[in-house]
Amino acid sequence: MNQIEQEINERILKLKIVKLRKRGLSRSKVALKLGITIKKVRYWEKKYDLKGTIESTKPTGRKSIKTQEISDIIETETKNNRTLSCERLSNLLKESHDIEMSGTSVWRIREALKFKYKAPKVKPKLTEQSKIKDSILLNTIWKNKQIGKKVVFTDETWFYLESLNGFIWRQWGENDDSVYREKEKYGKKIMFFGGINSNWMSTLIKCPKIVNSESYQNNIISRCRVFSDMDKEYGQWNWLLMQDGAPAHTSNSTKEYLSNKCLVLKNWPPNSPDLNPIENLWGIMGRRISKESPNSERKLELIVRKVWKNIEWEVIENLINSMEKRLRLVVELNGESINGYF
C-alpha cells in the first residue's frame, strides 16, 4: 500500500469513527464495530477535533473513560473468555484498551453486571426422538390436574466426593452454549434413588454400583415405600409412577414386575432430565452437600441422607407445581432442553 492509499484509508477511518460517535455509539462499541482499539478511536477523535460534538479527549492527568464504556468492554471481554480472571482482564484492559484498572475494580464491575464465578450449566444431549417424546408429554399428563398431582417422580443420581472445578463467569439467565459444560462422571461417587409427589417423599435408597433389572426391582423400587404409601394415599391403580427410560426400568422383567404393582407413565424419554422436577431437587441437594465438604465416601453418604431428610416441604411443592410450566415450555421450544429455566 503506497502513501496516498494509506492517507485515503486513514481519512475514511476518521470519518467512520466520527459518524458512529455522532450517532451516539460509545468508544468501545465503535472500536468493536470497526475492529480497532479504543486507543485508536481516541487518537482520531483528537486529530479530528469536533468541538462540542464529541466529548473532549484532552488528557487531564490519568486518562478518564466513562463507566458505561468500561462496563461494555468488561462484559464483552468476559463473554469472549469466560475463564479470564479479574487480574488477567485488568492486564488485558491496559494492553488492548489503554484502561488502567485494578483486578478488584474489575471484580466490582462484574458483580454489578450480575456475573458470578460458577461452574458451567449442564444440559443433556437430546436426540431428535427424545425431543419429540418431550414435546408430546403435555398431551399425556397434566391436562387433568388431578391426575397430574398423582404422579410420583422418581430418579437415580450420583453424588461425587470431589467438588466440581473449572468455574466460569456467567450472568443470571444466560443460556447460550458458552455457559454449559458436558457432564462427566469421575472420581469417588455414590448413587442414590428417590421419589417425590405432591404429598410425599420416598425413603432415600443407596444403589449398587451397577443397576440392572434385578437390583432395581429387589433393592431399589421395592424398598422406597412407593407402592405401600401411594396405595394408602390414593388407592391402588389410582396413581402413576414416573421413571426414565433406563434399561433397568424398561426391561421386560421390570415391566412385568411393575404391572402387578401400579400404573407406569409411558413414553418418558431416556435422556430427558429437563421435565423431571426431582432433577432440580438433586441440584439443590448438591449445592447444600458441597457446603459440608465431605472428605470420605462414608461422610458423603451421611451428609446426603441428612440433606434429603431436611429438605423443606415448600421446596417439593414448588417443584411439583412447576410441572405444568415445564411441559408447556418444552412444547414452545419444540422439545429442546429447558435446563436453566427452572
Side-chain angles (χ1 to χ4, degrees):
M1 183 184 296
N2 58 41
Q3 186 175 355
I4 296 175
E5 289 176 334
Q6 187 174 355
E7 288 179 0
I8 292 172
N9 288 336
E10 287 179 350
R11 289 181 181 180
I12 292 173
L13 182 61
K14 283 194 297 183
L15 292 172
K16 286 182 177 179
I17 290 171
V18 173
K19 183 178 179 180
L20 291 172
R21 294 289 281 126
K22 280 184 175 180
R23 283 166 50 186
L25 271 69
S26 66
R27 290 192 184 100
S28 60
K29 290 183 178 178
V30 171
L32 290 172
K33 190 175 183 67
L34 298 180
I36 59 177
T37 65
I38 290 180
K39 187 176 181 179
K40 181 165 280 191
V41 175
R42 282 210 194 92
Y43 171 79
W44 285 117
E45 284 185 10
K46 182 178 178 181
K47 295 282 285 185
Y48 197 98
D49 187 18
L50 295 183
K51 296 178 180 177
T53 305
I54 299 176
E55 58 265 33
S56 174
T57 57
K58 293 181 180 179
T60 55
R62 183 177 176 180
K63 288 188 175 180
S64 61
I65 185 169
K66 288 186 176 180
T67 303
Q68 185 57 50
E69 291 182 57
I70 297 175
S71 296
D72 290 344
I73 296 169
I74 290 176
E75 182 173 6
T76 300
E77 295 292 355
T78 299
K79 289 183 177 180
N80 285 340
N81 184 354
R82 293 181 180 275
T83 63
L84 203 61
S85 70
C86 291
E87 289 300 326
R88 285 172 58 199
L89 181 50
S90 172
N91 294 333
L92 180 64
L93 292 174
K94 185 175 181 180
E95 294 169 4
S96 301
H97 302 283
D98 194 29
I99 300 172
E100 292 189 14
M101 176 173 287
S102 68
T104 303
S105 297
V106 171
W107 176 277
R108 289 196 190 100
I109 292 177
R110 277 174 160 172
E111 287 284 303
L113 290 169
K114 297 185 179 180
F115 278 108
K116 300 293 181 184
Y117 196 55
K118 306 170 71 174
K121 296 182 179 181
V122 179
K123 65 179 177 181
K125 292 183 178 179
L126 300 178
T127 63
E128 288 303 315
Q129 184 179 11
S130 68
K131 289 178 184 179
I132 293 170
K133 286 183 177 180
D134 277 359
S135 64
I136 64 173
L137 275 173
L138 183 59
N139 297 318
T140 307
I141 59 172
W142 236 265
K143 279 189 171 181
N144 185 322
K145 293 187 178 181
Q146 292 304 313
I147 294 177
K149 294 295 183 181
K150 296 179 182 180
V151 176
V152 176
F153 296 94
T154 65
D155 189 41
E156 297 98 345
T157 194
W158 291 100
F159 286 109
Y160 297 85
L161 188 60
E162 294 86 354
S163 59
L164 293 173
N165 53 23
F167 278 24
I168 62 170
W169 289 100
R170 57 185 174 91
Q171 289 169 301
W172 186 89
E174 281 192 283
N175 282 304
D176 57 83
D177 290 341
S178 65
V179 303
Y180 287 93
R181 65 166 178 83
E182 289 190 359
K183 188 176 183 180
E184 298 180 5
K185 295 179 172 60
Y186 60 92
K188 294 182 179 180
K189 56 190 179 181
I190 306 175
M191 180 187 284
F192 289 91
F193 172 92
I196 59 174
N197 170 263
S198 57
N199 297 309
W200 176 81
M201 283 182 73
S202 75
T203 300
L204 190 66
I205 305 297
K206 181 181 178 181
C207 303
K209 294 289 184 182
I210 298 176
V211 177
N212 54 30
S213 300
E214 182 179 358
S215 62
Y216 180 65
Q217 296 166 32
N218 298 331
N219 301 322
I220 299 175
I221 191 71
S222 62
R223 293 176 53 213
C224 74
R225 303 195 337 261
V226 64
F227 303 127
S228 58
D229 288 357
M230 289 299 98
D231 287 351
K232 183 178 179 180
E233 180 73 21
Y234 300 112
Q236 191 175 20
W237 315 117
N238 287 325
W239 57 277
L240 286 168
L241 175 70
M242 177 272 139
Q243 53 180 7
D244 64 27
H249 302 169
T250 56
S251 67
N252 290 333
S253 171
T254 300
K255 285 180 180 178
E256 183 178 358
Y257 172 81
L258 293 175
S259 68
N260 296 313
K261 299 286 187 179
C262 64
L263 298 176
V264 178
L265 185 61
K266 297 180 179 179
N267 298 321
W268 197 275
N271 188 25
S272 182
D274 320 274
L275 289 172
N276 191 346
I278 199 173
E279 290 285 343
N280 295 83
L281 183 58
W282 296 139
I284 292 169
M285 289 181 61
R287 290 188 288 276
R288 297 184 183 184
I289 291 165
S290 65
K291 293 179 181 179
E292 301 280 346
S293 300
N295 55 14
S296 68
E297 286 191 60
R298 176 57 180 162
K299 287 185 178 179
L300 175 61
E301 180 180 350
L302 291 174
I303 291 170
V304 170
R305 293 189 181 281
K306 182 183 76 171
V307 170
W308 175 266
K309 183 179 179 181
N310 292 330
I311 289 292
E312 301 84 356
W313 192 249
E314 182 182 4
V315 173
I316 304 296
E317 288 182 329
N318 289 338
L319 292 174
I320 297 294
N321 291 336
S322 72
M323 192 60 200
E324 185 176 4
K325 292 180 180 179
R326 293 169 188 270
L327 291 166
R328 294 191 183 281
L329 184 57
V330 166
V331 173
E332 290 176 9
L333 297 177
N334 297 316
E336 290 288 348
S337 169
I338 59 171
N339 201 322
Y341 288 88
F342 292 91

